[in-house]
Amino acid sequence: TGFCPVIVEKPFGKNGKEAKELSESLTKHLSESETFRIDHYLAKTLVLNLLTLRFANRELGHLFHGHHIANVRITFKEAIGVQGRAGYFDGYGIIRDIMQNHLMQVLTLVAMEAPASLGAEDVRDEKVKVLKQIRPIDPKECVIGQYDGYQDDPDIKKLNAQKGYASRCPTFAVAVMYLDNERWSGVPFIMKAGKAMEVQ
């Protein structure tokens, strides 16, 4: 009885099926208004300022259009490798760990139309519209890789020994996406993420 808010942060299952099962198990005990799914990456100052950048300055807002932008690049670079996180990271990889959630959230904030209000549900609704407008990603416009030295990490060596083969976990990935809407038609959104990069 009463209001019992619960905060859920990723990883929330390893795939859509697991995430759906976890969500269904939560709904047995909590209402949707009590369940807060968060992404800590959205608390970064630059990300927090995206809505202000987009919608507080009308002139700047007009420039966020395919008529004025050749491409949009959303990049995550870390100088460190997987030290101390090898067990977790090797099971997820850079796509699941960074791209499908953190960077996809940034993409929706950059590409969305102005929400009816800054209320959480109105912002969410506009972000969902963006996600629905993303074309299926062409594998020919994707690259994955693994940094030199990944296989030499002591924890990765242990995991490889347990599995009986060398890890194929990507630590670097690039994907080019397109949105099917008037504002962004024909503009490539280039999403890039990598660990152990020379420059952050």
Side-chain angles (χ1 to χ4, degrees):
T1 61
F3 186 70
C4 178
V6 173
I7 295 174
V8 179
E9 188 185 10
K10 69 118 185 153
F12 195 67
K14 288 186 99 173
N15 53 45
K17 180 178 179 268
E18 283 184 20
K20 186 176 180 184
E21 289 170 359
L22 288 167
S23 286
E24 287 171 357
S25 67
L26 281 174
T27 58
K28 291 177 186 173
H29 307 285
L30 300 164
S31 69
E32 184 62 30
S33 65
E34 293 174 306
T35 308
F36 296 89
R37 294 170 185 86
I38 66 163
D39 182 341
H40 64 269
Y41 202 75
L42 296 180
K44 292 188 176 283
T45 304
L46 179 62
V47 177
L48 287 170
N49 289 331
L50 277 174
L51 285 179
T52 304
L53 177 70
R54 286 284 321 278
F55 303 117
N57 181 327
R58 293 187 79 172
E59 292 308 312
L60 188 58
H62 290 300
L63 295 177
F64 274 73
H65 195 286
H67 296 310
H68 307 289
I69 295 177
N71 63 68
V72 176
R73 297 178 190 198
I74 301 170
T75 304
F76 171 92
K77 294 181 186 178
E78 265 190 338
I80 61 168
V82 295
Q83 296 83 351
R85 296 184 68 227
Y88 163 79
F89 187 86
D90 197 69
Y92 281 83
I94 198 76
I95 297 167
R96 282 188 177 145
D97 188 42
I98 301 296
M99 294 177 82
Q100 77 163 5
N101 43 58
H102 300 326
L103 299 190
M104 196 62 79
Q105 290 279 0
V106 173
L107 183 150
T108 61
L109 289 170
V110 168
M112 69 187 242
E113 295 299 326
S117 77
L118 291 179
E121 290 184 7
D122 288 335
V123 172
R124 180 210 55 214
D125 290 347
E126 291 303 322
K127 289 163 69 175
V128 168
K129 286 179 188 175
V130 171
L131 295 173
K132 289 179 177 180
Q133 294 168 342
I134 297 173
R135 288 184 205 160
I137 298 170
D138 183 349
K140 293 176 186 164
E141 300 211 67
C142 299
V143 175
I144 60 171
Q146 192 178 84
Y147 67 80
D148 286 337
Y150 183 76
Q151 300 294 335
D152 299 326
D153 183 288
D155 292 327
I156 296 299
K157 285 183 177 181
K158 288 178 194 171
L159 290 168
N160 289 346
Q162 290 170 1
K163 293 186 288 191
Y165 57 89
S167 172
R168 297 182 66 209
C169 174
T171 62
F172 174 83
V174 177
V176 179
M177 290 172 263
Y178 293 89
L179 275 65
D180 285 325
N181 65 27
E182 187 276 329
R183 180 181 297 273
W184 299 110
S185 180
V187 176
F189 281 73
I190 303 165
M191 188 181 290
K192 186 186 304 186
K195 289 192 155 290
M197 305 295 281
E198 301 92 7
V199 179
Q200 189 169 352

